[in-house]
Amino acid sequence: MTSPTASPTTPAVLAAYVSTDQGAEVARAVAVMMGANPTALHGGGLSGAARVSTGPAIASTVLTEMGNMPLDAACESVTEICKSGANVVVLGGKADLTIYRALRNAGATEYFAFPVTAEEIIAANTQAAPRNPAPPPAPVMPSGTCIGVMGCTGGVGASLLAQNLAFHAASIKGPSLQTALIDADLRFGTQAIDLDRKDTPGLQEALLAPDRVDPTFLAATMEQLNDRLALFSQQANVIQPVDQLEAAFAPLIQSMKSKFGALVVDLPRTTFVAHPAIARKLDALVLVVPAGYAGVNVASRLMALLKSKAPDLKVLPVLSEFRQDARLTVKDLTKAINHDIAAVLPDCGTIIHRAHRAAKPVIEAQPRSAYAKATRRLWAMTMADSTPPETKPKRRLFKKGTA
């Protein structure tokens, strides 16, 4: 087997070593798009490429096919090729996170499971830094919008609102953004359960190494709810210590913002208070307040914390009618928390119950309902440049007798 034609000092652009017709078809398309020499296509797969990579790099990029090789042997072959200075892209038949991580740790630039397009391979290889020269500065990726949703007490519909905001952001009739819904409640989060989906163990893996999260990892570990919406939701063991994992939500959000047009984080208040750095990664925080004194108390305390930890964060307090409590009005809440109320979430009990039973968001199950309309208005407010202004300080002592 011969190496692809190249000058003694300059390796060829591409060398492809495949073992199936499917791999050969993909390799030909990559060669055409990269303008590579037609002789760049060879048989032998990953092991064949390793056998001829004993000296200088046979090509800048070596496109290989894993075939039926054992994983440990495949990793050894990848490491051997990488020693020559080439970027190694591996094709395989299994979309398996274990295979992906093992090959990446062995030095592969990327691992793709069939079906894969030539465009995807070239895009991944273009982003990979050359192994021999000093790597150029990483490109600055556009940052998506991140919205946090947090309830001041339980039972106010904060998780339901986060779910519906995410579906609206991804809706083809709405912003139509590539969207991620992140359930940040590692102890008792229910987003996957409410949507009748499997939980996503990849969330904890992402929190253990947030700086290594990339599009391939996300595609392999997130639950795809539709073409534009993916979910991270996982309940840890109730006795598992999760403080270290929760602390990694801030860097994980920062990492994922460059990979999605919108992120919606279902954020428990205990996690937020313990790790206020999360607030500085948000573009807006929707604070869901019930119509009662306990909710007002928590809202006031949280907003005081935000002023000290994230003074520039846009905060949108929302009145939830899910819990009647003291039946405080918008005017009452505005006065009590010294901040305008952005929206009112109507109870719409029957509609919400039907949506829950169907494991669908209200905004899809009943798009013309008052709740769906309120969700769309609230999303528009999170995208607006201005935030609801605080009211002027007033002398006040909120008493139950005035409710």
Side-chain angles (χ1 to χ4, degrees), residues 161-225:
L161 178 59
Q163 178 189 117
N164 279 273
L165 285 172
F167 271 88
H168 173 65
S171 172
I172 195 170
K173 295 183 179 179
S176 194
L177 299 171
Q178 288 295 328
T179 305
L181 172 58
I182 304 174
D183 190 343
D185 190 346
L186 296 178
R187 292 180 175 86
F188 304 106
T190 62
Q191 290 290 356
I193 296 171
D194 289 341
L195 293 166
D196 194 23
R197 297 299 185 114
K198 297 179 180 178
D199 68 352
T200 54
L203 175 56
Q204 289 194 32
E205 289 194 48
L207 291 169
L208 289 171
D211 57 323
R212 298 188 63 182
V213 169
D214 58 26
T216 302
F217 173 84
L218 295 173
T221 59
M222 297 187 79
E223 180 74 8
Q224 203 68 34
L225 301 178

Short mmCIF file of all heavy atoms in Angstrom, two decimals, residues 161-225:
data_model
loop_
_atom_site.label_atom_id
_atom_site.label_comp_id
_atom_site.label_asym_id
_atom_site.label_seq_id
_atom_site.Cartn_x
_atom_site.Cartn_y
_atom_site.Cartn_z
N LEU A 161 -43.13 27.04 33.00
CA LEU A 161 -42.83 28.24 32.21
C LEU A 161 -41.52 28.07 31.45
O LEU A 161 -41.42 28.42 30.27
CB LEU A 161 -42.77 29.46 33.12
CG LEU A 161 -42.40 30.78 32.44
CD1 LEU A 161 -43.41 31.14 31.35
CD2 LEU A 161 -42.30 31.90 33.47
N ALA A 162 -40.50 27.52 32.11
CA ALA A 162 -39.21 27.29 31.43
C ALA A 162 -39.40 26.38 30.23
O ALA A 162 -38.87 26.63 29.14
CB ALA A 162 -38.21 26.68 32.41
N GLN A 163 -40.17 25.33 30.41
CA GLN A 163 -40.46 24.40 29.33
C GLN A 163 -41.13 25.10 28.15
O GLN A 163 -40.76 24.91 26.98
CB GLN A 163 -41.35 23.28 29.87
CG GLN A 163 -41.78 22.24 28.89
CD GLN A 163 -42.83 21.33 29.53
OE1 GLN A 163 -43.96 21.26 29.09
NE2 GLN A 163 -42.45 20.63 30.60
N ASN A 164 -42.13 25.91 28.43
CA ASN A 164 -42.88 26.58 27.37
C ASN A 164 -42.06 27.68 26.69
O ASN A 164 -42.17 27.87 25.48
CB ASN A 164 -44.18 27.13 27.92
CG ASN A 164 -45.26 26.07 28.04
OD1 ASN A 164 -46.00 25.81 27.10
ND2 ASN A 164 -45.32 25.41 29.19
N LEU A 165 -41.23 28.38 27.45
CA LEU A 165 -40.35 29.38 26.83
C LEU A 165 -39.37 28.71 25.87
O LEU A 165 -39.09 29.23 24.78
CB LEU A 165 -39.58 30.14 27.92
CG LEU A 165 -40.37 31.18 28.71
CD1 LEU A 165 -39.54 31.70 29.88
CD2 LEU A 165 -40.80 32.35 27.82
N ALA A 166 -38.85 27.55 26.26
CA ALA A 166 -37.90 26.83 25.40
C ALA A 166 -38.58 26.36 24.11
O ALA A 166 -38.02 26.51 23.01
CB ALA A 166 -37.30 25.64 26.15
N PHE A 167 -39.79 25.80 24.23
CA PHE A 167 -40.50 25.35 23.03
C PHE A 167 -40.85 26.54 22.13
O PHE A 167 -40.80 26.42 20.89
CB PHE A 167 -41.76 24.57 23.42
CG PHE A 167 -41.52 23.11 23.61
CD1 PHE A 167 -41.13 22.61 24.85
CD2 PHE A 167 -41.67 22.22 22.55
CE1 PHE A 167 -40.90 21.25 25.03
CE2 PHE A 167 -41.44 20.86 22.72
CZ PHE A 167 -41.06 20.38 23.97
N HIS A 168 -41.19 27.67 22.72
CA HIS A 168 -41.48 28.84 21.90
C HIS A 168 -40.23 29.32 21.17
O HIS A 168 -40.28 29.66 19.98
CB HIS A 168 -42.05 29.96 22.76
CG HIS A 168 -42.20 31.26 22.02
ND1 HIS A 168 -43.08 31.41 20.96
CD2 HIS A 168 -41.57 32.45 22.16
CE1 HIS A 168 -43.00 32.64 20.48
NE2 HIS A 168 -42.09 33.29 21.20
N ALA A 169 -39.10 29.36 21.88
CA ALA A 169 -37.85 29.81 21.25
C ALA A 169 -37.48 28.95 20.05
O ALA A 169 -36.95 29.44 19.05
CB ALA A 169 -36.72 29.80 22.27
N ALA A 170 -37.79 27.65 20.14
CA ALA A 170 -37.45 26.73 19.06
C ALA A 170 -38.53 26.63 17.99
O ALA A 170 -38.30 26.04 16.93
CB ALA A 170 -37.18 25.34 19.64
N SER A 171 -39.69 27.21 18.26
CA SER A 171 -40.84 27.04 17.35
C SER A 171 -40.59 27.67 16.00
O SER A 171 -40.06 28.78 15.89
CB SER A 171 -42.09 27.66 17.98
OG SER A 171 -43.15 27.68 17.04
N ILE A 172 -41.00 26.94 14.95
CA ILE A 172 -40.85 27.48 13.59
C ILE A 172 -41.76 28.68 13.37
O ILE A 172 -41.51 29.52 12.51
CB ILE A 172 -41.14 26.37 12.55
CG1 ILE A 172 -40.64 26.79 11.16
CG2 ILE A 172 -42.64 26.02 12.53
CD1 ILE A 172 -40.67 25.67 10.16
N LYS A 173 -42.83 28.79 14.18
CA LYS A 173 -43.71 29.95 14.11
C LYS A 173 -43.27 31.05 15.05
O LYS A 173 -43.91 32.10 15.12
CB LYS A 173 -45.15 29.53 14.43
CG LYS A 173 -45.75 28.57 13.41
CD LYS A 173 -47.19 28.25 13.74
CE LYS A 173 -47.80 27.31 12.70
NZ LYS A 173 -49.21 26.96 13.02
N GLY A 174 -42.22 30.82 15.79
CA GLY A 174 -41.67 31.80 16.71
C GLY A 174 -40.27 32.19 16.29
O GLY A 174 -39.98 32.31 15.09
N PRO A 175 -39.35 32.33 17.23
CA PRO A 175 -37.97 32.71 16.89
C PRO A 175 -37.23 31.66 16.06
O PRO A 175 -36.27 31.98 15.36
CB PRO A 175 -37.31 32.89 18.27
CG PRO A 175 -38.43 33.18 19.19
CD PRO A 175 -39.60 32.38 18.68
N SER A 176 -37.64 30.38 16.14
CA SER A 176 -37.03 29.30 15.37
C SER A 176 -35.52 29.20 15.62
O SER A 176 -34.73 29.06 14.69
CB SER A 176 -37.30 29.49 13.87
OG SER A 176 -36.99 28.31 13.15
N LEU A 177 -35.14 29.24 16.89
CA LEU A 177 -33.73 29.19 17.28
C LEU A 177 -33.34 27.76 17.69
O LEU A 177 -34.16 27.02 18.22
CB LEU A 177 -33.47 30.13 18.46
CG LEU A 177 -33.75 31.61 18.24
CD1 LEU A 177 -33.66 32.36 19.57
CD2 LEU A 177 -32.78 32.20 17.23
N GLN A 178 -32.09 27.40 17.43
CA GLN A 178 -31.56 26.18 18.02
C GLN A 178 -31.49 26.42 19.53
O GLN A 178 -30.77 27.30 19.98
CB GLN A 178 -30.19 25.85 17.45
CG GLN A 178 -30.21 25.36 16.02
CD GLN A 178 -30.93 24.01 15.88
OE1 GLN A 178 -30.90 23.19 16.78
NE2 GLN A 178 -31.57 23.81 14.74
N THR A 179 -32.23 25.63 20.28
CA THR A 179 -32.47 25.94 21.69
C THR A 179 -32.11 24.75 22.57
O THR A 179 -32.31 23.60 22.20
CB THR A 179 -33.96 26.30 21.90
OG1 THR A 179 -34.30 27.38 21.02
CG2 THR A 179 -34.23 26.72 23.34
N ALA A 180 -31.59 25.06 23.76
CA ALA A 180 -31.32 24.04 24.77
C ALA A 180 -32.14 24.36 26.01
O ALA A 180 -32.15 25.51 26.48
CB ALA A 180 -29.84 24.00 25.12
N LEU A 181 -32.82 23.36 26.54
CA LEU A 181 -33.53 23.46 27.80
C LEU A 181 -32.71 22.70 28.84
O LEU A 181 -32.50 21.50 28.70
CB LEU A 181 -34.94 22.88 27.68
CG LEU A 181 -35.76 22.75 28.98
CD1 LEU A 181 -35.92 24.10 29.67
CD2 LEU A 181 -37.11 22.12 28.70
N ILE A 182 -32.25 23.40 29.87
CA ILE A 182 -31.39 22.80 30.89
C ILE A 182 -32.14 22.76 32.21
O ILE A 182 -32.53 23.81 32.74
CB ILE A 182 -30.08 23.59 31.06
CG1 ILE A 182 -29.34 23.72 29.72
CG2 ILE A 182 -29.19 22.94 32.11
CD1 ILE A 182 -28.11 24.61 29.79
N ASP A 183 -32.33 21.57 32.74
CA ASP A 183 -32.94 21.39 34.05
C ASP A 183 -31.81 21.39 35.08
O ASP A 183 -31.08 20.41 35.21
CB ASP A 183 -33.71 20.06 34.09
CG ASP A 183 -34.57 19.92 35.34
OD1 ASP A 183 -34.32 20.67 36.30
OD2 ASP A 183 -35.48 19.07 35.34
N ALA A 184 -31.66 22.51 35.81
CA ALA A 184 -30.54 22.66 36.73
C ALA A 184 -30.84 22.10 38.12
O ALA A 184 -30.03 22.25 39.03
CB ALA A 184 -30.16 24.13 36.85
N ASP A 185 -31.98 21.44 38.29
CA ASP A 185 -32.31 20.80 39.56
C ASP A 185 -31.83 19.36 39.51
O ASP A 185 -32.52 18.46 39.03
CB ASP A 185 -33.82 20.85 39.80
CG ASP A 185 -34.19 20.42 41.21
OD1 ASP A 185 -33.34 19.83 41.89
OD2 ASP A 185 -35.34 20.67 41.63
N LEU A 186 -30.61 19.13 40.02
CA LEU A 186 -30.01 17.80 39.95
C LEU A 186 -30.64 16.84 40.95
O LEU A 186 -30.50 15.63 40.82
CB LEU A 186 -28.51 17.89 40.21
CG LEU A 186 -27.70 18.66 39.17
CD1 LEU A 186 -26.23 18.70 39.56
CD2 LEU A 186 -27.85 18.05 37.78
N ARG A 187 -31.31 17.36 41.93
CA ARG A 187 -31.91 16.49 42.94
C ARG A 187 -33.33 16.05 42.55
O ARG A 187 -33.66 14.88 42.62
CB ARG A 187 -31.94 17.19 44.30
CG ARG A 187 -30.54 17.41 44.92
CD ARG A 187 -30.64 18.10 46.25
NE ARG A 187 -29.34 18.22 46.92
CZ ARG A 187 -28.48 19.20 46.71
NH1 ARG A 187 -28.78 20.18 45.85
NH2 ARG A 187 -27.34 19.25 47.35
N PHE A 188 -34.15 17.00 42.14
CA PHE A 188 -35.55 16.67 41.91
C PHE A 188 -36.11 17.26 40.61
O PHE A 188 -37.30 17.51 40.50
CB PHE A 188 -36.40 17.16 43.11
CG PHE A 188 -35.95 16.62 44.43
CD1 PHE A 188 -35.28 17.41 45.33
CD2 PHE A 188 -36.16 15.28 44.75
CE1 PHE A 188 -34.85 16.90 46.55
CE2 PHE A 188 -35.73 14.76 45.97
CZ PHE A 188 -35.07 15.58 46.88
N GLY A 189 -35.25 17.51 39.64
CA GLY A 189 -35.70 18.07 38.37
C GLY A 189 -36.65 17.12 37.64
O GLY A 189 -36.46 15.91 37.65
N THR A 190 -37.67 17.68 37.00
CA THR A 190 -38.72 16.84 36.40
C THR A 190 -38.95 17.12 34.92
O THR A 190 -39.92 16.63 34.36
CB THR A 190 -40.06 17.05 37.14
OG1 THR A 190 -40.47 18.42 37.00
CG2 THR A 190 -39.93 16.69 38.61
N GLN A 191 -38.10 17.89 34.28
CA GLN A 191 -38.37 18.23 32.88
C GLN A 191 -38.47 16.97 32.01
O GLN A 191 -39.38 16.86 31.18
CB GLN A 191 -37.30 19.17 32.34
CG GLN A 191 -37.33 20.58 32.91
CD GLN A 191 -38.52 21.37 32.43
OE1 GLN A 191 -39.32 20.93 31.60
NE2 GLN A 191 -38.68 22.58 32.95
N ALA A 192 -37.55 16.04 32.16
CA ALA A 192 -37.60 14.82 31.34
C ALA A 192 -38.86 14.02 31.64
O ALA A 192 -39.51 13.50 30.72
CB ALA A 192 -36.35 13.98 31.59
N ILE A 193 -39.22 13.93 32.92
CA ILE A 193 -40.41 13.17 33.30
C ILE A 193 -41.67 13.83 32.74
O ILE A 193 -42.54 13.15 32.18
CB ILE A 193 -40.49 13.06 34.83
CG1 ILE A 193 -39.30 12.27 35.38
CG2 ILE A 193 -41.80 12.40 35.27
CD1 ILE A 193 -39.17 12.30 36.88
N ASP A 194 -41.77 15.14 32.88
CA ASP A 194 -42.96 15.85 32.41
C ASP A 194 -43.16 15.71 30.91
O ASP A 194 -44.29 15.73 30.41
CB ASP A 194 -42.88 17.33 32.79
CG ASP A 194 -43.05 17.55 34.29
OD1 ASP A 194 -43.56 16.64 34.96
OD2 ASP A 194 -42.65 18.62 34.78
N LEU A 195 -42.06 15.57 30.18
CA LEU A 195 -42.14 15.46 28.72
C LEU A 195 -42.08 14.00 28.25
O LEU A 195 -41.98 13.75 27.05
CB LEU A 195 -41.01 16.27 28.08
CG LEU A 195 -41.14 17.78 28.25
CD1 LEU A 195 -39.83 18.47 27.88
CD2 LEU A 195 -42.29 18.34 27.43
N ASP A 196 -42.14 13.07 29.21
CA ASP A 196 -42.12 11.64 28.91
C ASP A 196 -40.89 11.27 28.08
O ASP A 196 -40.97 10.57 27.08
CB ASP A 196 -43.41 11.23 28.18
CG ASP A 196 -43.59 9.71 28.13
OD1 ASP A 196 -43.01 9.03 29.00
OD2 ASP A 196 -44.29 9.22 27.23
N ARG A 197 -39.74 11.75 28.52
CA ARG A 197 -38.47 11.47 27.85
C ARG A 197 -37.50 10.80 28.81
O ARG A 197 -37.65 10.87 30.03
CB ARG A 197 -37.85 12.76 27.30
CG ARG A 197 -38.69 13.46 26.24
CD ARG A 197 -38.89 12.59 25.03
NE ARG A 197 -39.58 13.29 23.97
CZ ARG A 197 -39.05 13.60 22.79
NH1 ARG A 197 -37.80 13.25 22.54
NH2 ARG A 197 -39.75 14.23 21.88
N LYS A 198 -36.46 10.18 28.26
CA LYS A 198 -35.42 9.60 29.07
C LYS A 198 -34.57 10.70 29.69
O LYS A 198 -34.38 11.77 29.09
CB LYS A 198 -34.54 8.68 28.23
CG LYS A 198 -35.25 7.49 27.64
CD LYS A 198 -34.29 6.66 26.79
CE LYS A 198 -35.01 5.46 26.18
NZ LYS A 198 -34.09 4.66 25.32
N ASP A 199 -34.05 10.43 30.90
CA ASP A 199 -33.13 11.41 31.46
C ASP A 199 -31.80 11.34 30.72
O ASP A 199 -31.55 10.42 29.94
CB ASP A 199 -32.95 11.23 32.96
CG ASP A 199 -32.20 9.94 33.32
OD1 ASP A 199 -31.97 9.13 32.41
OD2 ASP A 199 -31.85 9.77 34.49
N THR A 200 -30.95 12.31 30.94
CA THR A 200 -29.73 12.46 30.14
C THR A 200 -28.51 12.40 31.04
O THR A 200 -28.07 13.42 31.57
CB THR A 200 -29.76 13.80 29.38
OG1 THR A 200 -29.98 14.86 30.33
CG2 THR A 200 -30.90 13.83 28.37
N PRO A 201 -27.92 11.21 31.20
CA PRO A 201 -26.73 11.08 32.06
C PRO A 201 -25.57 11.96 31.61
O PRO A 201 -24.67 12.25 32.40
CB PRO A 201 -26.38 9.58 31.94
CG PRO A 201 -27.66 8.92 31.55
CD PRO A 201 -28.37 9.91 30.67
N GLY A 202 -25.58 12.38 30.35
CA GLY A 202 -24.52 13.26 29.87
C GLY A 202 -24.45 14.59 30.57
O GLY A 202 -23.42 15.27 30.51
N LEU A 203 -25.52 15.00 31.27
CA LEU A 203 -25.50 16.28 31.98
C LEU A 203 -24.41 16.27 33.04
O LEU A 203 -23.65 17.23 33.16
CB LEU A 203 -26.86 16.56 32.59
CG LEU A 203 -26.95 17.82 33.48
CD1 LEU A 203 -26.50 19.06 32.72
CD2 LEU A 203 -28.36 17.99 34.02
N GLN A 204 -24.32 15.20 33.82
CA GLN A 204 -23.29 15.16 34.85
C GLN A 204 -21.90 15.09 34.24
O GLN A 204 -20.95 15.69 34.76
CB GLN A 204 -23.52 13.97 35.79
CG GLN A 204 -24.73 14.15 36.70
CD GLN A 204 -24.76 13.17 37.84
OE1 GLN A 204 -23.72 12.74 38.34
NE2 GLN A 204 -25.96 12.80 38.28
N GLU A 205 -21.76 14.38 33.12
CA GLU A 205 -20.47 14.36 32.43
C GLU A 205 -20.09 15.75 31.96
O GLU A 205 -18.93 16.16 32.05
CB GLU A 205 -20.53 13.41 31.23
CG GLU A 205 -20.59 11.94 31.60
CD GLU A 205 -20.31 11.05 30.41
OE1 GLU A 205 -19.31 11.30 29.71
OE2 GLU A 205 -21.09 10.13 30.16
N ALA A 206 -21.06 16.49 31.45
CA ALA A 206 -20.79 17.85 31.00
C ALA A 206 -20.37 18.75 32.16
O ALA A 206 -19.48 19.59 32.02
CB ALA A 206 -22.03 18.42 30.31
N LEU A 207 -20.99 18.56 33.31
CA LEU A 207 -20.65 19.38 34.48
C LEU A 207 -19.27 19.03 35.04
O LEU A 207 -18.61 19.87 35.64
CB LEU A 207 -21.71 19.20 35.57
CG LEU A 207 -23.09 19.80 35.25
CD1 LEU A 207 -24.13 19.34 36.26
CD2 LEU A 207 -23.03 21.31 35.21
N LEU A 208 -18.83 17.80 34.83
CA LEU A 208 -17.50 17.40 35.28
C LEU A 208 -16.40 18.00 34.42
O LEU A 208 -15.27 18.18 34.89
CB LEU A 208 -17.38 15.87 35.29
CG LEU A 208 -18.19 15.15 36.38
CD1 LEU A 208 -18.17 13.64 36.14
CD2 LEU A 208 -17.65 15.47 37.76
N ALA A 209 -16.70 18.30 33.16
CA ALA A 209 -15.70 18.89 32.24
C ALA A 209 -16.39 19.87 31.31
O ALA A 209 -16.46 19.64 30.10
CB ALA A 209 -14.98 17.80 31.47
N PRO A 210 -16.92 20.98 31.82
CA PRO A 210 -17.69 21.90 30.97
C PRO A 210 -16.89 22.53 29.84
O PRO A 210 -17.45 22.87 28.80
CB PRO A 210 -18.18 22.97 31.96
CG PRO A 210 -17.26 22.87 33.14
CD PRO A 210 -16.86 21.44 33.22
N ASP A 211 -15.58 22.66 30.01
CA ASP A 211 -14.76 23.27 28.97
C ASP A 211 -14.55 22.33 27.78
O ASP A 211 -14.11 22.78 26.72
CB ASP A 211 -13.40 23.69 29.53
CG ASP A 211 -12.65 22.53 30.17
OD1 ASP A 211 -13.32 21.68 30.80
OD2 ASP A 211 -11.42 22.47 30.04
N ARG A 212 -14.89 21.05 27.93
CA ARG A 212 -14.68 20.09 26.85
C ARG A 212 -15.98 19.76 26.10
O ARG A 212 -16.00 18.90 25.24
CB ARG A 212 -14.07 18.80 27.40
CG ARG A 212 -12.69 19.00 28.03
CD ARG A 212 -12.04 17.70 28.38
NE ARG A 212 -11.79 16.90 27.19
CZ ARG A 212 -11.25 15.68 27.23
NH1 ARG A 212 -10.94 15.14 28.38
NH2 ARG A 212 -11.06 15.00 26.11
N VAL A 213 -17.04 20.46 26.45
CA VAL A 213 -18.32 20.22 25.78
C VAL A 213 -18.25 20.75 24.35
O VAL A 213 -17.89 21.92 24.14
CB VAL A 213 -19.47 20.89 26.54
CG1 VAL A 213 -20.75 20.89 25.74
CG2 VAL A 213 -19.69 20.18 27.88
N ASP A 214 -18.57 19.91 23.38
CA ASP A 214 -18.55 20.33 21.98
C ASP A 214 -19.83 19.83 21.30
O ASP A 214 -20.61 19.08 21.90
CB ASP A 214 -17.30 19.82 21.26
CG ASP A 214 -17.17 18.30 21.30
OD1 ASP A 214 -18.20 17.60 21.43
OD2 ASP A 214 -16.03 17.79 21.19
N PRO A 215 -20.09 20.26 20.07
CA PRO A 215 -21.34 19.88 19.40
C PRO A 215 -21.56 18.37 19.30
O PRO A 215 -22.69 17.90 19.43
CB PRO A 215 -21.20 20.53 18.02
CG PRO A 215 -20.33 21.72 18.25
CD PRO A 215 -19.34 21.26 19.28
N THR A 216 -20.49 17.60 19.06
CA THR A 216 -20.66 16.16 18.95
C THR A 216 -21.08 15.55 20.28
O THR A 216 -21.95 14.68 20.34
CB THR A 216 -19.35 15.51 18.46
OG1 THR A 216 -18.99 16.08 17.20
CG2 THR A 216 -19.53 14.01 18.29
N PHE A 217 -20.46 16.00 21.36
CA PHE A 217 -20.84 15.52 22.68
C PHE A 217 -22.29 15.86 22.98
O PHE A 217 -23.06 15.01 23.47
CB PHE A 217 -19.92 16.13 23.74
CG PHE A 217 -20.34 15.82 25.16
CD1 PHE A 217 -19.97 14.63 25.76
CD2 PHE A 217 -21.13 16.71 25.87
CE1 PHE A 217 -20.36 14.34 27.05
CE2 PHE A 217 -21.53 16.42 27.17
CZ PHE A 217 -21.14 15.23 27.76
N LEU A 218 -22.69 17.08 22.69
CA LEU A 218 -24.07 17.49 22.97
C LEU A 218 -25.06 16.68 22.15
O LEU A 218 -26.11 16.25 22.64
CB LEU A 218 -24.24 18.98 22.68
CG LEU A 218 -23.44 19.92 23.58
CD1 LEU A 218 -23.54 21.36 23.09
CD2 LEU A 218 -23.92 19.83 25.02
N ALA A 219 -24.73 16.43 20.89
CA ALA A 219 -25.63 15.65 20.03
C ALA A 219 -25.78 14.22 20.54
O ALA A 219 -26.84 13.60 20.41
CB ALA A 219 -25.11 15.65 18.59
N ALA A 220 -24.72 13.70 21.15
CA ALA A 220 -24.75 12.31 21.63
C ALA A 220 -25.40 12.17 22.99
O ALA A 220 -25.87 11.08 23.35
CB ALA A 220 -23.33 11.75 21.68
N THR A 221 -25.46 13.25 23.78
CA THR A 221 -25.90 13.12 25.17
C THR A 221 -27.21 13.83 25.49
O THR A 221 -27.86 13.49 26.48
CB THR A 221 -24.82 13.66 26.13
OG1 THR A 221 -24.57 15.04 25.84
CG2 THR A 221 -23.53 12.86 26.00
N MET A 222 -27.61 14.81 24.70
CA MET A 222 -28.85 15.53 24.98
C MET A 222 -30.04 14.77 24.37
O MET A 222 -29.90 14.08 23.36
CB MET A 222 -28.80 16.96 24.45
CG MET A 222 -27.72 17.82 25.11
SD MET A 222 -27.81 19.57 24.60
CE MET A 222 -29.16 20.15 25.64
N GLU A 223 -31.19 14.92 24.98
CA GLU A 223 -32.42 14.34 24.44
C GLU A 223 -33.02 15.32 23.44
O GLU A 223 -33.33 16.46 23.78
CB GLU A 223 -33.42 14.07 25.58
CG GLU A 223 -34.72 13.47 25.12
CD GLU A 223 -34.64 12.00 24.74
OE1 GLU A 223 -33.58 11.39 24.96
OE2 GLU A 223 -35.64 11.46 24.23
N GLN A 224 -33.14 14.90 22.20
CA GLN A 224 -33.64 15.77 21.14
C GLN A 224 -35.17 15.79 21.19
O GLN A 224 -35.82 14.79 20.86
CB GLN A 224 -33.13 15.32 19.78
CG GLN A 224 -33.11 16.40 18.73
CD GLN A 224 -32.08 17.47 19.00
OE1 GLN A 224 -31.01 17.20 19.54
NE2 GLN A 224 -32.40 18.72 18.65
N LEU A 225 -35.75 16.92 21.57
CA LEU A 225 -37.20 17.03 21.68
C LEU A 225 -37.85 17.32 20.33
O LEU A 225 -38.96 16.90 20.07
CB LEU A 225 -37.56 18.13 22.69
CG LEU A 225 -37.01 17.91 24.11
CD1 LEU A 225 -37.39 19.08 25.01
CD2 LEU A 225 -37.51 16.60 24.69
#
